Amino acid sequence: SSPPLSSQLFPEGEKKIVNDMVKDPYCGVYVDRDQAFPLRVKNKVLYFCSEECRKNYLQKDTKYFEK
């Protein structure tokens, strides 16, 4: 009998951790939530792949931030 598939893929007890992926609303790229640039809009959080996309989104969608 062969060893479990998990021990074949990740020898020596290593485990692959898959983090949540979130979609950048500006450019559409998926990015790891832990590495994303968050922005709170009203009562939700948007995640961006870079500071540049976050800034561009703020400039483009100012209607969300009007007082």
Side-chain angles (χ1 to χ4, degrees):
S1 118
S2 60
L5 182 59
S6 61
S7 65
Q8 293 176 32
L9 296 175
F10 308 109
E12 301 175 14
E14 293 179 30
K15 292 186 179 181
K16 173 106 175 110
I17 299 172
V18 178
N19 292 323
D20 290 336
M21 299 297 285
V22 291
K23 187 175 181 180
D24 182 319
Y26 184 75
C27 71
V29 168
Y30 284 88
V31 62
D32 186 319
R33 184 188 308 262
D34 292 340
Q35 296 176 3
F37 293 80
L39 174 68
R40 183 171 295 279
V41 179
K42 297 188 180 183
N43 53 350
K44 69 177 185 175
V45 178
L46 302 175
Y47 295 93
F48 297 87
C49 69
S50 67
E51 184 67 40
E52 181 178 352
C53 276
R54 184 167 64 177
K55 286 179 183 177
N56 289 337
Y57 180 86
L58 284 168
Q59 290 173 354
K60 177 184 174 199
D61 292 327
T62 55
K63 64 185 176 199
Y64 294 114
F65 310 102
E66 292 176 358
K67 294 181 179 179

